[in-house]
């Protein structure tokens, strides 16, 4: 990440330097001064000199420069620099210039060391830094409690919350990304999910949340057997999990239950990812191209839904690319409506409702402009698909229980659970081979 942060004045003098990795030499900072600051060539905020890249901003009469010898995210670097300036201003009464830097050298180094770890941004929040960098003042009991809260990852919750109706809304939202090759093999399949909560609870309740995680089911045989009796014995393996800071990680590591005291309002409790080996695509798409003449070909796309027939996909949109020199198309569809949209260079097939375990097909005849047939070959962009499947998850994740207690007593609250699967980058490539046929398969036409 960032190798060093330098502070220059208007004369090009280095007034403060923090070298995180030790790979930035004095000659490197001198090169930036001579080639950029001395020539006043500050039009571009990113400059590469030799093997070192410089990212810099200007605040008052100070240039703050982050330099790195590797390839790093420019947006993260600039965001970190601006956040660092906010931290300095919060400590220096809203001022930040050369004089304030010279007056507060020790504090500047301490803040930079807390904000960055070996060049990686860690904690650049002024309010959090003020809880333990207190400029020589003793830590009060209140400050110590705040520090403990931030260190342990617990969330602050107002103590006197009162709601007429205690309610918790749980939304499990999954996005399916898929890439299928021209030979109908899956190149990439991934599910990125998140569990969003809307909490309207009085007091200081503790919530314990459990789902059909494989390790959790192995540790709780009673719940596993109960799920099997209900026909829900599927056990899920998650590759990556990220929790909200309110979750007690020690409890999760011990018995795989998610225990937390929720903040008030809306927040994301958990994010997770599921790799290719466990992903079952909600839709199978099989495209075929049949060429009739040099100026006309037919595209047939068959779509089959693989999810349970009790679910219905909504807002299904299939984008079928066609060449840029397409003059007109005629489409025959069994359900929905298809239309050629010249601005998209594609046939847009929209289906309001697509039941589970069903299949449908579109047959489209594409007429090209003869005058531009000899242009470069058509690159065949992939077919893209968007959809939403309410009350279903592609991964099979299921909430087994959500217990709410306060002072180890039962807590009266309504719980509402909603599932949603939606399409992300759902792409299917055209086949490499093109069939040939002299017959016209289009019997009915719809523009």
């Amino acid at each position: 990440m960032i190798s060093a942060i330098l502070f220059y004045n208007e004369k090009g003098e280095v007034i403060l330097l923090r070298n995180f990795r030790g790979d930035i030499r004095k000659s490197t900072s001198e090169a930036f001064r001579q080639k950029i600051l001395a020539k006043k060539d500050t039009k571009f905020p990113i400059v590469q000199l030799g093997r070192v890249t410089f990212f810099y901003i200007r605040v008052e009469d100070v240039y703050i420069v982050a330099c790195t010898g590797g390839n790093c995210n420019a947006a993260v670097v600039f965001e970190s620099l601006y956040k660092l300036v906010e931290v300095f201003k919060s400590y220096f009464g809203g001022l930040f210039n050369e004089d304030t830097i010279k007056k507060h050298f020790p504090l500047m180094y301490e803040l930079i060391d807390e904000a960055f770890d070996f060049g990686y941004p860690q904690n650049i929040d002024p309010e959090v830094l003020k809880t333990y960098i207190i400029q020589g003042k003793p830590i009060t009991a209140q400050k110590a409690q705040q520090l403990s809260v931030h260190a342990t990852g617990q969330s602050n919750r107002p103590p006197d919350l009162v709601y007429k109706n205690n309610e918790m809304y749980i939304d499990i939202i999954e996005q399916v990304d898929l890439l299928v090759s021209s030979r109908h093999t899956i190149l990439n399949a991934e599910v990125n999910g998140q569990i969003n909560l809307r909490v309207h609870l009085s007091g200081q309740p503790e919530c314990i949340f459990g789902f059909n995680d494989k390790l959790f089911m192995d540790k709780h045989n009673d719940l596993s057997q109960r799920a099997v009796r209900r026909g829900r014995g599927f056990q899920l393996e998650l590759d990556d999990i990220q929790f909200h800071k309110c979750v007690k990680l020690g409890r999760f590591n011990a018995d795989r239950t998610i225990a937390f005291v929720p903040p008030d309002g809306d927040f994301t409790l958990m994010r997770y990812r599921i790799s290719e080996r466990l992903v079952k695509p909600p839709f199978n798409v099989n495209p075929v191209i049949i060429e009739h003449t040099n100026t006309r070909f037919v595209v047939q796309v068959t779509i089959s839904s693989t999810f349970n027939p009790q679910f219905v996909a909504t807002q299904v949109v299939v984008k079928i690319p066609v060449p840029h020199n397409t003059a007109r198309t005629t489409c025959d569809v069994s359900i929905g409506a298809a239309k050629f949209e010249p601005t998209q260079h594609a046939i847009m097939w929209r289906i309001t409702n697509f039941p589970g375990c069903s299949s449908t097909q579109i047959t489209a005849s594409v007429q090209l402009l003869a005058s531009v047939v000899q242009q470069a070959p058509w690159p065949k962009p992939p077919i893209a698909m968007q959809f939403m499947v309410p009350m279903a998850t592609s991964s099979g994740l299921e909430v087994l229980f959500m217990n709410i207690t306060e002072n180890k007593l039962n807590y009266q609250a309504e719980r509402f659970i909603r599932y949603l699967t939606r399409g992300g980058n759902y792409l299917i490539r055209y086949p490499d081979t093109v069939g040939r046929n002299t017959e016209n398969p289009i019997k009915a036409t719809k523009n």
Side-chain angles (χ1 to χ4, degrees), residues 132-423:
Y132 49 89
I133 300 181
I134 54 178
Q135 307 179 65
K137 299 178 182 179
I139 299 179
T140 63
Q142 182 179 3
K143 289 289 185 180
Q145 183 179 6
Q146 293 177 2
L147 176 60
S148 175
V149 167
H150 289 291
T152 56
Q154 302 299 313
S155 64
N156 289 327
R157 180 179 174 86
D160 300 325
L161 284 175
V162 177
Y163 285 97
K164 182 178 180 181
N165 297 318
N166 294 321
E167 298 174 335
M168 174 178 286
Y169 299 86
I170 308 169
D171 290 337
I172 293 91
I173 302 174
E174 293 188 346
Q175 176 176 300
V176 184
D177 298 330
L178 180 74
L179 177 59
V180 178
S181 72
S182 57
R183 298 183 178 180
H184 306 293
T185 59
I186 297 178
L187 300 178
N188 180 45
E190 190 175 77
V191 171
N192 291 288
Q194 60 185 33
I195 300 177
N196 299 328
L197 299 187
R198 172 172 291 180
V199 179
H200 295 158
L201 299 176
S202 305
Q204 298 289 322
E206 181 182 32
C207 303
I208 301 178
F209 173 82
F211 61 97
N212 55 330
D213 173 52
K214 185 179 186 301
L215 296 179
F216 174 82
M217 302 286 277
D218 291 342
K219 290 177 179 288
H220 299 79
N221 293 327
D222 55 337
L223 289 175
S224 178
Q225 295 174 2
R226 193 184 310 168
V228 171
R229 287 196 297 268
R230 292 185 299 173
R232 300 177 179 179
F234 178 74
Q235 297 183 3
L236 186 65
E237 296 183 27
L238 302 182
D239 290 336
D240 188 18
I241 303 177
Q242 296 178 352
F243 289 115
H244 187 271
K245 65 179 183 179
C246 68
V247 175
K248 300 176 181 179
L249 298 180
R251 177 76 176 271
F252 179 78
N253 292 332
D255 58 7
R256 303 291 290 189
T257 57
I258 304 173
F260 58 97
V261 177
D264 189 48
D266 299 343
F267 70 100
T268 299
L269 175 68
M270 168 180 154
R271 300 180 188 273
Y272 59 92
R273 181 178 59 86
I274 300 174
S275 62
E276 176 180 338
R277 58 190 177 86
L278 296 175
V279 176
K280 182 181 179 181
F283 292 94
N284 291 329
V285 182
N286 184 21
V288 176
I289 297 179
I290 303 173
E291 187 177 276
H292 286 254
T293 65
N294 290 335
T295 60
R296 189 171 71 88
F297 66 90
V298 172
V299 177
Q300 291 181 342
V301 180
T302 303
I303 302 178
S304 303
S305 56
T306 62
F307 49 89
N308 197 296
Q310 66 179 341
F311 303 123
V312 177
T314 62
Q315 303 179 29
V316 179
V317 179
V318 184
K319 181 180 179 180
I320 306 173
V322 294
H324 287 195
N325 59 328
T326 298
R328 66 177 184 274
T329 65
T330 54
C331 303
D332 180 22
V333 295
S334 55
I335 61 173
K339 182 180 179 182
F340 169 57
E341 297 186 5
T343 57
Q344 298 283 338
H345 302 295
I347 298 171
M348 305 301 293
W349 183 17
R350 294 178 172 85
I351 304 173
T352 305
N353 296 311
F354 199 126
C357 294
S358 62
S359 178
T360 186
Q361 185 182 77
I362 179 174
T363 304
S365 176
V366 181
Q367 185 70 43
L368 306 179
L369 296 174
S371 59
V372 290
V373 168
Q374 301 301 325
Q375 285 188 347
W378 179 40
K380 294 183 184 178
I383 297 172
M385 189 173 181
Q386 296 291 323
F387 54 85
M388 299 180 69
V389 187
M391 300 310 298
T393 57
S394 179
S395 66
L397 185 142
E398 180 185 2
V399 176
L400 299 180
F401 64 88
M402 171 62 83
N403 297 331
I404 305 176
T405 60
E406 188 173 21
N407 297 326
K408 298 183 179 180
L409 299 176
N410 290 333
Y411 189 94
Q412 298 298 324
E414 295 290 337
R415 304 163 182 80
F416 304 91
I417 302 176
R418 180 174 60 179
Y419 300 91
L420 177 65
T421 297
R422 61 190 181 192

Side-chain angles (χ1 to χ4, degrees), residues 2 6 40 43 110 182 193 209 211 265 299 353 400 434 439:
I2 299 175
L6 303 92
K40 299 187 182 300
K43 295 180 182 179
E110 189 176 1
S182 57
F209 173 82
F211 61 97
V299 177
N353 296 311
L400 299 180
V434 178
E439 298 180 0

